[in-house]
Amino acid sequence: MWVLNNVASSVGDPNQRLTSCFLRALISRASSVCPTTMSFNSSSTIHRRLMSVTELAGYVDLIPWHRFGFCASNSAIFKAIQGCPRVHILDFSITHCMQWPTLIDALAKRPEGPPSLRITVPSCRPLVPPLLNVSTEEVGLRLGNFAKFRDVPFEFNIIDVDTSSLLSHLTPSILNLRDDEVLVVNCQNWLRYLSDETMGSAHQDASLRDTFLDIIKGLNPCIIVVVDEDSDLSAPSLTSRITTCFNYLWIPFDALETFLPKDSYQRLEYESDIGHKIENIISFEGFQRIERLESGAKMCQRVKNVGFFSIPFSEETVREVKFLLDEHASGWGMKREEDMLVLTWKGHNSVFATAWVPNGLED
């Protein structure tokens, strides 16, 4: 760690900046085991703060890490609800509904006219970046104003629930599911925050993640989209997590190097948020380790085991995603894998997108 401290720098090249994040995470872990561990220089660390809506939009647009999932998901959802006059989206996301203005805009241009759109979100959210300085209610009001401007009938609902009781609130009555609406379930960088450890006999040894998917299947959605980062960071072995994490999270550091100066505050803030993730992966164990990401292949198998069938992304979706990536650095690309559309950086998998229907509804 002393050697790393001499080469790590939060304003150096991508490897030095990534090393700096790992060093802070290792120091944090060592300090919890041995409180007398000497502190290292971490004065350049940027503390997480609450962003304005405008700043959040810039944060999301910085690299296609989030926008790739928005684009692929919205295109799949748009196709799935063609001809449907009333649509209800159950939204589980960490990006404060930033996905929906684009979909609302597309629905406003639908040849048969826009549907009546209802979006329901849980009041609970993992305490991870990006953090917003306005309430969920305010987000709903802003979406409503935008939908009104685009002449899309709109309703926004919040399920008042905490994380521990979320599953018990996913019922047709509490969600106010309506027979004349089609249901869409959207999971963006969210399932990783549900425990992947088994819960015991009450749920027949199912994990919270599996139980959530099983409950969602019982709601009979017309489509469920699952988007997340394509890496397996849930291993119980610390050594394995360190290796996998380092071999994966170099991607955003390298991508940001291509167009932002080393001292850019926007870059430092984005990298600091990645450092927050690294610290949780490395420094914590048990229930404190909430970053439990699994690879796209593992997630696909999990969703299949519950009884969902994969929907292939259309050529139109592929074109839309390619058009999006053209707005970013040339290192970004896309490829198809068995059940996934995958965002790549210099050929390395970074984010996967998948779309599913319940057993028997794949036609």
Side-chain angles (χ1 to χ4, degrees):
M1 288 166 66
W2 276 109
V3 172
L4 289 177
N5 189 52
N6 290 327
V7 299
S9 170
S10 62
V11 291
D13 64 33
N15 277 335
Q16 289 175 311
R17 298 162 89 102
L18 180 58
T19 300
S20 178
C21 288
F22 272 81
L23 180 59
R24 285 196 292 271
L26 289 168
I27 292 168
S28 175
R29 185 179 180 97
S31 298
S32 66
V33 175
C34 179
T36 58
T37 298
M38 295 183 67
S39 62
F40 289 67
N41 178 24
S42 59
S43 59
S44 58
T45 300
I46 295 179
H47 298 290
R48 288 186 297 141
R49 65 180 181 88
L50 302 180
M51 295 181 180
S52 69
V53 173
T54 302
E55 288 171 328
L56 178 60
Y59 181 97
V60 167
D61 288 345
L62 202 56
I63 57 176
W65 207 261
H66 294 291
R67 291 184 69 201
F68 164 80
F70 294 173
C71 183
S73 298
N74 283 349
S75 183
I77 291 169
F78 185 86
K79 182 180 178 183
I81 62 176
Q82 280 183 346
C84 299
R86 301 179 66 84
V87 179
H88 183 187
I89 298 176
L90 186 54
D91 182 31
F92 300 96
S93 171
I94 65 167
T95 48
H96 308 281
C97 295
M98 290 296 294
Q99 175 178 349
W100 302 126
T102 304
L103 180 64
I104 291 171
D105 190 58
L107 292 174
K109 302 171 185 175
R110 205 168 69 163
E112 67 269 34
S116 175
L117 178 64
R118 185 159 63 108
I119 295 177
T120 296
V121 300
S123 59
C124 61
R125 177 191 178 277
L127 291 176
V128 295
L131 302 176
L132 193 59
N133 69 355
V134 301
S135 67
T136 305
E137 289 81 2
E138 174 65 20
V139 169
L141 287 174
R142 290 175 183 237
L143 275 179
N145 288 336
F146 180 75
K148 184 177 181 180
F149 173 72
R150 301 298 286 125
D151 293 322
V152 176
F154 184 78
E155 183 180 336
F156 189 80
N157 302 123
I158 302 172
I159 314 169
D160 189 13
V161 62
D162 57 39
T163 305
S164 62
S165 62
L166 174 64
L167 297 189
S168 64
H169 284 72
L170 299 181
T171 66
S173 59
I174 294 177
L175 296 173
N176 191 22
L177 300 188
R178 301 166 187 169
D179 293 337
D180 60 346
E181 290 179 330
V182 296
L183 178 65
V184 171
V185 179
N186 182 65
C187 296
Q188 299 276 335
N189 301 305
W190 195 84
L191 278 176
R192 79 178 83 149
Y193 299 109
L194 294 181
S195 173
D196 57 345
E197 296 179 351
T198 56
M199 298 162 56
S201 58
H203 294 275
Q204 300 179 334
D205 292 325
S207 70
L208 194 61
R209 210 168 289 183
D210 289 331
T211 303
F212 170 82
L213 289 169
D214 194 50
I215 291 173
I216 292 300
K217 180 173 177 286
L219 298 177
N220 200 33
C222 75
I223 186 173
I224 172 174
V225 288
V226 178
V227 175
D228 219 320
E229 298 169 3
D230 194 11
S231 183
D232 192 350
L233 298 174
S234 60
S237 163
L238 174 63
T239 304
S240 176
R241 293 204 305 274
I242 290 175
T243 303
T244 306
C245 191
F246 193 90
N247 289 337
Y248 174 65
L249 286 177
W250 68 272
I251 293 174
F253 283 85
D254 193 58
L256 291 168
E257 173 79 2
T258 62
F259 68 99
L260 286 178
K262 296 186 185 301
D263 60 351
S264 161
Y265 189 85
Q266 193 178 24
R267 177 178 175 180
L268 290 169
E269 187 170 58
Y270 200 100
E271 291 173 343
S272 178
D273 285 349
I274 302 170
H276 174 266
K277 181 201 302 282
I278 292 170
E279 182 171 354
N280 188 260
I281 292 167
I282 292 175
S283 301
F284 297 99
E285 300 292 348
F287 70 92
Q288 290 182 312
R289 181 162 57 85
I290 63 171
E291 291 282 350
R292 293 176 175 269
L293 187 66
E294 60 186 344
S295 68
K298 279 190 175 181
M299 179 60 75
C300 286
Q301 189 57 56
R302 183 186 293 276
V303 179
K304 286 179 180 178
N305 290 344
V306 173
F308 285 95
F309 277 75
S310 175
I311 308 174
F313 288 97
S314 68
E315 289 303 319
E316 184 177 357
T317 298
V318 171
R319 285 194 299 271
E320 289 180 18
V321 173
K322 286 181 177 178
F323 182 77
L324 164 70
L325 296 183
D326 286 343
E327 300 176 10
H328 293 273
S330 59
W332 294 106
M334 180 194 61
K335 64 182 179 180
R336 289 178 183 266
E337 295 194 352
E338 185 177 356
D339 298 302
M340 305 183 292
L341 210 56
V342 182
L343 174 70
T344 63
W345 172 254
K346 297 181 177 178
H348 296 270
N349 287 18
S350 57
V351 179
F352 70 88
T354 61
W356 307 85
V357 291
N359 189 352
L361 297 180
E362 65 271 23
D363 295 331

